[in-house]
Amino acid sequence: MPAELLRVLACGSVDDGKSTLIGRLLYETDSVPDDTMAALAADSRRFGTVPGALDFALLVDGLAAEREQGVTIDVAYRYFQTPRRRFILADAPGHQQYTRNMATGASLADVAILLVDAAAGVQIQTRRHAAIASLMGVRQFILAVNKMDLAGFDPAAFAAARDTIAALLARFGDVALTAIPMVAREGDNVTRASARMAWHDGPTLLAALEQAVVPTPVPTAPIPTAPIHDAPARLPVQLVLRPDAAFRGYAGTLRGGALAVGDAVVNARAGTSARIARLIGANGEADRAGPGEAVTVTLDHEIDVSRGDILATAPVPEATQQITARVVWMDATDLFRGRAYLLMAGTASTVATVTEIAGRMDLDRVADEPARALSANEIGTVTLSLADPLVLEPYATDRALGGFILIDRLTRATVGAGMTTRIQPNGRAVYWHRLDIDKAARAALKGQRPAVLWFTGLSGAGKSTIANLVEQRLHARGLHTMSLDGDNVRHGLNRDLGFS
Amino acid sequence: MIPPDAAHLSVLEAEALHIVREAAAQSARPVLMYSIGKDSSVLLHLARKAFAPAPVPFPLLHIDTTWKFRDMIRFRDATVARFGLRLHVHTNPDGLARAVNPFDHDPSTYTRIMKTEALKQALDAGGYDCAIGGARREEERARAKERIFSVRGPGHVWDPKRQRPELWQLYNGHRAPGETLRVFPLSNWTERDVWTYILAEGIDVVPLYFAAPRPVVERNGALIVVDDDRMRLLPGETPAPRMVRFRSLGCYPLSAAVASAAADLPAVLAEMAASRASERAGRLIDFDQDASMEAKKREGYF
Ligand SMILES: Nc1nc2c(ncn2[C@@H]2O[C@H](COP(=O)(O)OP(=O)(O)O)[C@@H](O)[C@H]2O)c(=O)[nH]1
């Protein structure tokens, strides 16, 4: 039985043979039931593209609409296992909305399979897929150079594709690459070594998947840079359990490092601390738990903790109200500076306002260019101002604590995915400083009588327009003015100001 | 307890506990869809773990078509009593009044009225804004793209275009008025995972999953167990005892058994490793039209 679980992303452009490859992988790992095989034989005769043989691509085509069109339009999940490992494969379609699908599939992936057609060579799409997967934190890649039959089984064609991708991936830092020449349609180097390409001295695809590093027991963590027990524990609280007056437990999935009974923890948002009194894991009462485990803890004395709080061991992270992040935009309506969304990170939510769009990524050059907006399937770097303090970690350190989603407050759809790159710590210990220049001193200097004009009315009634005209007139008379516009002030000091 | 050589189940278990807790935390009135089968048994086991030592904070909902195996109903009532759960049973009163049954009505009409419509009625009547179910993506091709948190529009309709991208373990449960959620904590589990987990955790399941001599008639190649005297036998059909078990349970006239000698869990697992007939093959309702599951889902079938 499998002792490990590996999450894999498969990406390729249309017609590279991804469906064929996945179908074959399922078939050869005995993951296809007999009656499905019978249906496949019938489907292959009706819709197949492989004359006189089984068309494995039909095994993995799902929705009726896409079977008619012959294209996949959404991420699909496939399951197979070997005696050693259980695999979850996210099958991300390559063409339409590929960024959105790729990002979704890559968010949890430990390994990405990049498919290229040997005859066509590395396409722009493939380069983009590689860029997106590495931005999403994937650190292990398998390059499947497919359709080697069409390239005459030529080692040089294979080497050319491998070197192009290796050079590209090198730009994303420490990334592991395994390249495999393949004929998915006939099964060469999928699970069986190919006699026709005996020159390949690397593993088959299945062997490469079995050899890939399973990062940690944590389903969502990247490859750890420090041993797990050294990393500080983070418990984002999902629920407070209060079955009776005697028990008050905090339930959540443990992130970061291990947590044990007796550990001192701090509610990172409030700064209050306590010790772990009891720890209940999936198998009941326990002394300690590791990252990725669903636990419930009780504390040795009562402190205020609710959903969205994070119980943390030292070093305790600081809450923040300003972050910089890479955002993958997924909605038909653009992201603009000044727009506010609901941000969900871990179990916490708050309103986030876009204060700056620092750039939009040109996936071909893998570099940011200036931009005023982000459209669907674009990736940009933005600064967000948060209405409430939140605890976040850099995405590069921890995917689970650094990734967030943006939700449209009206449609409630998930419109963006964010990866925290920079955290601006919140100022602590702020005192009021008395200043000597007051209202009377300023009035005397200006030689004018101070006055406040307050425009009230419904949103959209024309307050800002009138205020602007009034200010122009006063200015023309040489009077000093200052306008505080409702929308403008929400960009800065008053970012947490509501609309009701 | 999960043995070290099936440690992948610990990851799936932790993921499912996280999902069940998110569903509860993000909903005002969640309900657990309890169909009495093996997936429901695992789901219930996980729900009890997720909130321990507190009780399961939501009720169970069973849509009773009145054609379930008697063993299923007995098991359901015993389970509810044993764990002190709240159970809500609903049958479509219009269907009852019109005597809709699996013999006089074709499977898709029967399913629509006694299951799909009944489920919608029960969800509306209970004011439930979130239904937690045991469906798995592996079960059927149309489910491979289903989200873990799936939004249903007014009337419980599923619109593939409106499904939200799901990244990391962040589940967007925000709903507009009239919208409800379906949550599937077992999305990433396979049938084999389910049985391995049942064995590891010692979870009770309906005895129909284990081989025993049962009165069987063979109809169009399917083995139908005659569970009570409402079964309409065709001329020439006489129930005869055969060693059979079920891979999937539903309404008895529509559930096909498989010939098997596997009388306990290890035997079932061994048989599964050897055989490769997909479990839905035993559900006769899926065969009537191409892509039938997708069509049913659009209407609100679970
Ligand atoms: N010659 C050759 N054709 C292949 C190979 N793999 C797939 N194909 C064909 O390429 C076409 C596209 O394959 P498909 O799997 O549908 O591609 P997808 O769009 O990437 O999923 C089909 O006609 C396949 O039969 C291969 O290794 N060699």
Side-chain angles (χ1 to χ4, degrees):
Chain A
M1 260 184 296
E4 295 164 333
L5 187 131
L6 191 82
R7 297 185 195 245
V8 183
L9 165 74
C11 34
S13 311
V14 199
D15 279 347
D16 283 348
K18 178 164 60 67
S19 303
T20 308
L21 177 65
I22 294 172
R24 194 165 261 289
L25 205 52
L26 297 182
Y27 171 68
E28 293 191 357
T29 52
D30 256 3
S31 311
V32 185
D34 290 338
D35 50 339
T36 307
M37 282 308 295
L40 174 66
D43 283 359
S44 296
R45 281 189 294 275
R46 257 174 83 196
F47 312 107
T49 61
V50 189
L54 293 175
D55 186 346
F56 288 105
L58 295 174
L59 267 184
V60 296
D61 287 343
L63 303 184
E66 77 194 38
R67 289 180 72 185
E68 279 155 27
Q69 295 160 16
V71 292
T72 38
I73 49 180
D74 212 336
V75 187
Y77 293 87
R78 324 278 177 203
Y79 307 95
F80 59 98
Q81 70 179 49
T82 66
R84 283 186 53 192
R85 266 191 190 169
R86 170 79 152 66
F87 298 92
I88 298 181
L89 186 140
D91 176 0
H95 63 320
Q96 275 171 0
Q97 309 187 330
Y98 64 89
T99 308
R100 165 188 160 142
N101 291 319
M102 205 69 59
T104 302
S107 69
L108 285 173
D110 305 313
V111 179
I113 302 173
L114 295 172
L115 218 77
V116 301
D117 177 333
V122 174
Q123 306 288 301
I124 287 180
Q125 286 265 320
T126 317
R127 305 174 63 97
R128 292 179 183 163
H129 296 162
I132 296 163
S134 34
L135 287 177
M136 298 298 298
V138 177
R139 286 289 163 270
Q140 303 180 85
F141 285 83
I142 296 172
L143 176 68
V145 184
N146 191 32
K147 304 196 188 181
M148 284 299 292
D149 52 327
L150 300 183
F153 303 103
D154 178 10
F158 167 70
R162 181 195 59 206
D163 296 346
T164 309
I165 292 294
L168 177 72
L169 289 177
R171 302 170 61 175
F172 297 105
D174 200 6
V175 173
L177 174 69
T178 308
I180 305 166
M182 229 173 261
V183 183
R185 201 156 76 176
E186 266 111 63
D188 296 58
N189 285 336
V190 178
T191 64
R192 285 171 287 112
S194 165
R196 298 187 282 187
M197 290 179 284
W199 46 263
H200 172 61
D201 54 7
T204 62
L205 175 63
L206 191 63
L209 288 174
E210 284 201 308
Q211 286 158 19
V213 180
V214 176
T216 65
V218 200
T220 55
I223 298 168
T225 42
I228 299 160
H229 53 269
D230 285 354
R234 306 285 184 248
L235 182 64
V237 175
Q238 287 183 285
L239 285 168
V240 180
L241 301 176
R242 291 221 68 173
D244 51 57
F247 186 93
R248 187 184 186 89
Y250 306 104
T253 302
L254 192 58
R255 310 292 184 189
L259 188 66
V261 170
D263 280 356
V265 290
V266 173
N267 178 354
R269 280 206 291 201
T272 46
S273 56
R275 282 184 187 278
I276 302 290
R278 287 172 66 190
L279 197 155
I280 299 160
N283 299 311
E285 212 82 30
D287 293 335
R288 55 184 273 123
E293 282 187 46
V295 298
T296 297
V297 299
T298 66
L299 302 177
D300 66 345
H301 67 268
E302 204 163 304
I303 58 172
D304 196 18
V305 179
S306 50
R307 174 172 166 86
D309 282 332
I310 291 189
L311 296 175
T313 59
V316 178
E318 246 185 281
T320 178
Q321 281 188 274
Q322 190 181 320
I323 57 168
T324 304
R326 268 219 213 287
V327 168
V328 180
W329 197 244
M330 301 176 157
D331 198 52
T333 310
D334 289 358
L335 169 142
F336 280 114
R337 194 161 76 94
R339 289 270 157 87
Y341 304 93
L342 210 57
L343 180 149
M344 185 177 175
T347 59
S349 292
T350 187
V351 172
T353 307
V354 180
T355 50
E356 195 194 336
I357 302 179
R360 171 178 51 213
M361 170 155 284
D362 176 345
L363 280 173
D364 302 331
R365 292 189 301 116
V366 198
D368 271 352
E369 58 188 22
R372 305 191 48 157
L374 289 183
S375 302
N377 293 303
E378 290 182 342
I379 301 175
T381 301
V382 304
T383 303
L384 296 168
S385 149
L386 312 180
D388 304 299
L390 232 59
V391 176
L392 288 153
E393 307 249 353
Y395 187 75
T397 323
D398 195 319
R399 279 171 162 184
L401 298 168
F404 60 85
I405 55 173
L406 295 174
I407 298 166
D408 185 291
R409 290 184 297 171
L410 211 61
T411 65
R412 296 168 171 87
T414 302
V415 290
M419 290 154 280
T420 311
T421 51
R422 242 188 38 176
I423 295 151
Q424 187 76 46
N426 256 12
R428 289 249 171 101
V430 184
Y431 304 100
W432 186 262
H433 195 95
R434 278 190 54 101
L435 301 167
D436 291 330
I437 305 299
D438 60 5
K439 189 161 94 177
R442 286 191 200 96
L445 181 69
K446 295 280 173 197
Q448 70 185 60
R449 190 162 55 85
V452 175
L453 292 177
W454 182 14
F455 296 82
T456 72
L458 289 177
S459 174
K463 299 182 294 294
S464 300
T465 312
I466 296 174
N468 192 34
L469 289 170
V470 171
E471 188 170 25
Q472 282 173 22
R473 296 276 174 88
L474 291 170
H475 186 82
R477 291 191 197 172
L479 293 171
H480 189 120
T481 59
M482 187 68 223
S483 259
L484 291 178
D485 183 82
D487 284 344
N488 295 357
V489 297
R490 281 187 180 84
H491 284 270
L493 287 177
N494 294 86
R495 66 188 154 219
D496 56 349
L497 188 58
F499 284 87
S500 53
Chain B
M1 273 237 291
I2 296 167
D5 70 348
H8 73 291
L9 286 176
S10 304
V11 181
L12 293 175
E13 179 189 57
E15 179 186 77
L17 294 174
H18 182 83
I19 295 164
V20 171
R21 287 171 172 174
E22 276 308 288
Q26 293 193 45
S27 305
R29 285 182 68 82
V31 67
L32 187 144
M33 307 290 309
Y34 184 69
S35 70
I36 319 174
K38 61 184 188 304
D39 303 312
S40 288
S41 295
V42 167
L43 191 58
L44 178 59
H45 184 77
L46 291 164
R48 290 178 49 241
K49 278 193 178 196
F51 306 102
V56 176
F58 36 73
L60 273 53
L61 172 63
H62 179 228
I63 301 303
D64 191 354
T65 59
T66 73
W67 292 92
K68 301 295 172 191
F69 290 94
R70 286 168 300 163
D71 263 359
M72 291 173 71
I73 303 300
R74 269 195 293 273
F75 180 87
R76 177 194 74 189
D77 295 341
T79 303
V80 166
R82 180 174 162 206
F83 299 126
L85 303 162
R86 282 178 292 151
L87 171 73
H88 174 189
V89 179
H90 179 76
T91 304
N92 182 351
D94 313 333
L96 267 189
R98 285 154 57 197
V100 173
N101 66 73
F103 301 108
D104 299 315
H105 301 83
D106 63 278
S108 60
T109 307
Y110 170 76
T111 299
R112 181 171 53 75
I113 296 173
M114 298 311 281
K115 292 170 119 180
T116 312
E117 293 301 328
L119 174 62
K120 292 187 201 174
Q121 289 167 351
L123 291 178
D124 289 343
Y128 298 120
D129 59 348
C130 169
I132 306 168
R136 293 175 283 108
R137 286 177 180 142
E138 175 218 41
E139 279 177 274
E140 213 273 341
R141 277 194 288 200
R143 281 196 172 145
K145 298 174 186 197
E146 178 64 282
R147 302 300 194 270
I148 290 173
F149 269 48
S150 177
V151 194
R152 304 294 156 106
H156 305 279
V157 286
W158 179 75
D159 176 0
K161 290 201 190 67
R162 282 194 53 225
Q163 298 305 306
R164 300 164 176 170
E166 232 161 38
L167 294 101
W168 301 291
Q169 282 189 317
L170 295 175
Y171 303 107
N172 173 3
H174 291 271
R175 273 143 285 186
E179 289 181 341
T180 55
L181 271 187
R182 299 284 190 281
V183 173
F184 305 110
L186 305 182
S187 285
N188 286 327
W189 295 49
T190 63
E191 186 188 17
R192 216 197 289 192
D193 294 329
V194 166
W195 281 118
T196 313
Y197 187 71
I198 287 172
L199 177 65
E201 295 280 303
I203 300 169
D204 275 333
V205 293
V206 185
L208 291 160
Y209 285 114
F210 305 115
R214 299 190 169 95
V216 168
V217 293
E218 191 166 341
R219 192 176 279 184
N220 303 325
L223 304 179
I224 305 293
V225 169
V226 181
D227 198 55
D228 59 32
D229 53 17
R230 293 178 297 170
M231 177 79 184
R232 300 216 196 132
L233 296 171
L234 301 175
E237 276 181 351
T238 339
R242 286 181 62 173
M243 279 294 275
V244 293
R245 67 177 181 89
F246 290 87
R247 295 186 64 187
S248 175
L249 291 175
C251 299
Y252 83 80
L254 294 175
S255 300
V258 290
S260 166
D264 58 18
L265 272 172
V268 166
L269 270 160
E271 204 174 87
M272 196 177 336
S275 124
R276 291 186 309 170
S278 80
E279 67 186 299
R280 294 193 80 83
R283 295 191 201 170
L284 306 184
I285 53 172
D286 287 340
F287 288 135
D288 9 295
Q289 65 193 91
D290 200 29
S292 61
M293 179 63 85
E294 189 188 349
K296 282 202 282 287
K297 265 175 71 172
R298 283 175 189 269
E299 287 173 5
Y301 177 68
F302 201 50

